[in-house]
Amino acid sequence: MKAVILISIKELAVTLAKLSPNCQINVAFELSNINTEYLQSPILRSSPNINKAIELGWNPTIGVEHEFHLTI
């Protein structure tokens, strides 16, 4: 079984910015104070598990960078 790679939203944003040098994307990362007007999610960290799909025979064959190239 392949190792599961965790990637953060910030890492995805930085990867996308690097793949789009002509767009001059700057990634800004700020931790803001919790706004009490909104409900706080009980899920603080989510990492989807693809183990069941792998057990059924599926394998990820395309990387994140390639997918971004197809998207942009």
Side-chain angles (χ1 to χ4, degrees):
M1 182 164 40
K2 293 183 179 185
V4 176
I5 299 171
L6 297 177
I7 187 165
S8 69
I9 296 297
K10 180 182 177 183
E11 291 168 325
L12 285 174
V14 169
T15 300
L16 182 59
K18 286 179 183 176
L19 293 173
S20 307
N22 295 337
C23 295
Q24 298 178 352
I25 299 172
N26 295 319
V27 177
F29 182 72
E30 297 177 11
L31 291 175
S32 61
N33 295 332
I34 296 174
N35 187 337
T36 57
E37 294 179 26
Y38 296 102
L39 290 175
Q40 185 174 1
S41 173
I43 301 170
L44 299 178
R45 183 175 181 98
S46 176
S47 49
N49 188 333
I50 62 170
N51 289 337
K52 183 66 174 179
I54 291 172
E55 288 174 13
L56 295 172
W58 176 82
N59 285 310
T61 56
I62 298 175
V64 171
E65 289 186 14
H66 181 73
E67 287 293 331
F68 277 146
H69 277 293
L70 294 175
T71 303
I72 53 176

